[in-house]
């Protein structure tokens, strides 16, 4: 028996010697580089790609079968341009499985891999052919380690016009084997143009996979990134947790999910923190524990904190719902203390990526001692929804803002370039209550160099269409009723047309156009019908200078980067026809009566300041203005009253808030108490109105008036002399003939 065993061992030893000898012969006599043409030809035949092997192929047999590939490059499908290249690729394969027609890869080392991936406009890619399944030997993973160094991938997505680049990819693993946990670590840089990303990333986890049952487990996953993303600088982002995924049964379970984000958005610091202790998703059921999101926004003028809570979710792989979704907001902004809360049930469809808030109840309180009434309070009810696939948002709501009741339908279509639609109805609104007030003269007195430029940047990206109705509105102290405006904004243009309203016992109809170009432009066309101009002017510019009812037409345009520049570049026309009114600041009839009584003593010119207690009544007033570079010029002033006629011409300089106007008052009737032979009927006196709007002065030219009186007396004496000479001539002629 021992002899047979001995012979058996001899046989095995002999076989081993022969095997080693044969392998040695292969190693020392076979050049693996001689197979290059065959390998290249095989790739060409099977994949229609050109494989270029510029390095030496090295083959090792012990202790593992190893293939060390030098520099190599693979072309595009049916092309010569490089698709991928590698500086070095090393594979280690186990011997015994090969004898069972199995491929057991024990070691993979890749250095300097670079690949160029493209998705074309039709959705196809330049690697579709490489993804086709082909028959191959069974591969079993039992890799001692994988090491990828200095790799890079760039992706040109021509379908969405985006480019993505991953560089400095370094990945290492411990043992990779079915159902055996392994540690994975990797770093890479990410660069993207749309959205703009520039990130450095690191990932660590313990991976366990079961390829037979398509189950994957990530334990103690940690992902961190720093850099810049979508306008956020100094970004620090972290993600952690554990996940168990089974592709066969469509089972996903996650626990202890935590997300943190910090960064700067301009001058604002953003902090986000999300916690999801447990999430579970199967083919028939979805559930979660409470999910919380805490967000902080620190700004130069204050800070805001929002705490969001989503109660336990329930549903399935397609739909979900939660009984309560709440957001609580608090903070201080520009001296305003803000507190608010929003709550609603929530539901969604994951297939369509659609989400709904069917019963919104929200409130917001803002307090500030500097605000009228110390602040305001708003209450909102309504519903909202969003569809990620269709890229739309909607909100239907009823808002109670202080004394105002607002009904609104709002919608947004498109996320990258949103288009807005709205329909807003407000019963009453005092807009001045929510606007910062400043003296009317502040802008005029402010040095032009210190004046704040107009900022219409938001209008350049705005695409909106809608209508606005306000039952009663107060804005900049001007009061209107039944205001209707249709608005359309696109491509940096805003059109408000038509505009209609009732105001100051009359009506308004017209349009406004705004062009937010490099130099903003405004165009205004308005027709005021049967309006009481006194209260309108008083509320608009806080000046009590005119009374009367009538029509006013405006057709003007302006351009400039500041309000002052706009006023100095105002062009167009204006006209007014007023009835039964008065010019405030001077009583021409009384002034002329006094002048007549003291006519012998007054000479030269007399200047007097405007006195708002005095006025010159008229039954009708007409005037048309041509406006050029902010100066409104008039040549056809016509005002009538039972005692006077008023005409004139001059300029109103809107750009410099001043005027220089010469009016001529003519007496057409006997002045009360001053009739008889000394009546001033038919006489005229020039009245010059000049100076800044804040301190207008009236200058009466009595020399001209005295001249008119003297001329009248001379004409009267001349007529008397002519009459007497006529009588004498008649008498003389009678005597002559006798």
């Amino acid at each position: 028996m021992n002899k047979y065993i001995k012979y058996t061992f001899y046989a095995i030893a002999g076989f081993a010697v022969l095997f080693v000898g044969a392998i040695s012969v292969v190693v020392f006599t076979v050049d693996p580089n001689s197979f290059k043409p065959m390998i290249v030809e095989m790739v060409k035949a099977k994949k229609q790609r050109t494989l270029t092997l510029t390095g030496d192929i090295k083959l090792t047999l012990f202790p593992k079968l190893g293939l060390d590939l030098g520099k190599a490059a693979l072309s595009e499908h049916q092309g010569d341009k490089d698709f991928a290249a590698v500086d070095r690729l090393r594979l280690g394969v186990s011997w015994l499985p090969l004898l069972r027609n199995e491929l057991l890869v024990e070691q993979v080392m890749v250095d300097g891999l670079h690949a160029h991936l493209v998705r074309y406009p039709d959705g196809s890619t330049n690697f579709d052919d490489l993804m086709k399944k082909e028959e191959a030997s069974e591969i079993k993973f039992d890799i001692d380690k994988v090491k990828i160094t200095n790799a890079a991938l760039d992706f040109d997505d021509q379908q969405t016009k985006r480019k993505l680049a991953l560089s400095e990819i370094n990945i290492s693993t411990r043992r990779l084997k079915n159902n055996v946990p392994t540690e994975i670590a990797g770093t890479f840089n990410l660069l993207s143009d749309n959205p703009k990303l520039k990130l450095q990333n690191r990932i660590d986890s313990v991976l366990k996979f079961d390829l037979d049952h398509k189950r994957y487990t990530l334990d103690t996953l940690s992902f961190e990134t720093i850099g810049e993303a979508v306008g956020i600088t100094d970004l620090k982002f972290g993600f952690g947790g554990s996940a168990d995924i089974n592709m066969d049964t469509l089972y996903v379970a996650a626990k202890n999910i935590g997300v943190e984000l910090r960064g700067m958005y301009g001058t604002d610091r953003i902090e986000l923190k999300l916690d999801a202790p447990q999430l579970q998703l199967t083919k028939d059921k979805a559930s979660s524990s409470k999910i919380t999101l805490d967000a902080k926004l620190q700004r130069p003028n204050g800070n805001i904190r929002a705490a969001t809570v989503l109660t336990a979710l329930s549903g399935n792989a397609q739909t979900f719902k939660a009984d309560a979704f709440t957001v609580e907001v608090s903070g201080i902004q520009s001296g305003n203390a803000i507190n608010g809360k929003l709550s609603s049930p929530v539901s969604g469809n994951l297939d369509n990526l659609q989400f709904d808030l069917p019963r919104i109840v929200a409130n917001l309180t803002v307090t500030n001692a500097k605000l009228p009434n110390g602040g305001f309070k708003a209450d909102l009810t309504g519903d909202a929804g969003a569809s990620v696939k269709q890229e739309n948002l909607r909100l239907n709501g009823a808002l109670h803002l202080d004394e105002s009741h607002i009904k609104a339908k709002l919608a947004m279509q498109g996320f990258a370039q949103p288009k807005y639609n709205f329909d807003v109805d407000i019963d009453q609104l005092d807009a001045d209550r929510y606007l910062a007030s400043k003296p009317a003269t502040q802008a005029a007195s402010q040095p032009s160099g210190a004046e704040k430029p107009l900022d219409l940047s938001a209008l350049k990206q705005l695409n909106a269409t809608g209508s606005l109705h306000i039952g009663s509105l107060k804005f900049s102290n001007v009061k209107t009723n039944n205001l209707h405006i249709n608005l359309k904004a696109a491509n940096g243009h805003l059109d408000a047309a038509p505009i209609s309203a009732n105001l100051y016992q009359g009506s308004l109809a017209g349009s406004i156009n705004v062009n937010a170009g490099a130099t903003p432009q405004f165009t205004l066309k308005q027709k005021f019908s049967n309006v009481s101009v006194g209260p309108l002017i008083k509320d608009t510019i806080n000046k009590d200078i005119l009374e009367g009812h009538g029509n006013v037409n405006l057709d003007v345009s302006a351009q400039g980067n500041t309000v002052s520049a706009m006023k100095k570049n105002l062009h167009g026309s204006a006209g007014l026809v007023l009835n039964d009114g008065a010019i405030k600041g001077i009583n021409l009839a009384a002034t002329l009566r006094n002048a007549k009584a003291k006519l012998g003593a007054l000479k030269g010119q007399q200047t007097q300041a405007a006195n708002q207690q005095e006025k010159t009544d008229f039954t009708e007033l007409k005037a048309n203005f041509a406006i050029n570079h902010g100066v409104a010029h008039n040549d056809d002033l016509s005002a009538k009253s039972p005692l006077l006629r008023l005409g004139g011409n001059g300029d109103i300089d809107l750009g410099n808030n001043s005027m220089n106007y010469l009016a001529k008052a003519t007496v057409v009737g006997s002045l009360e108490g001053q009739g008889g032979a000394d009546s001033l009927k038919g006489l005229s006196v020039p009245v010059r109105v000049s100076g800044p709007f804040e301190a207008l002065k009236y200058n009466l030219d009595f020399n001209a008036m005295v001249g008119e009186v003297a001329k009248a007396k001379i004409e009267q004496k001349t007529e008397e002399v002519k009459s007497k000479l006529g009588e004498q001539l008649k008498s003389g002629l009678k005597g002559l003939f006798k």
Side-chain angles (χ1 to χ4, degrees), residues 377-400:
K377 182 178 180 181
D379 296 288
L380 172 70
T381 58
D383 62 90
S387 174
V388 177
K389 281 190 175 181
Q390 298 179 1
E391 294 191 357
N392 64 55
L393 301 173
R394 61 168 180 81
L395 170 65
N396 301 322
L399 177 67
H400 183 194

Side-chain angles (χ1 to χ4, degrees), residues 619-647:
T619 56
E620 182 185 74
L621 185 148
K622 297 180 180 178
N624 291 289
F625 296 87
I627 305 172
N628 190 24
H629 292 292
V631 178
H633 181 76
N634 166 258
D635 281 319
D636 64 350
L637 175 66
S638 173
K640 300 177 181 179
S641 77
L643 301 177
L644 301 170
R645 295 291 185 269
L646 189 65

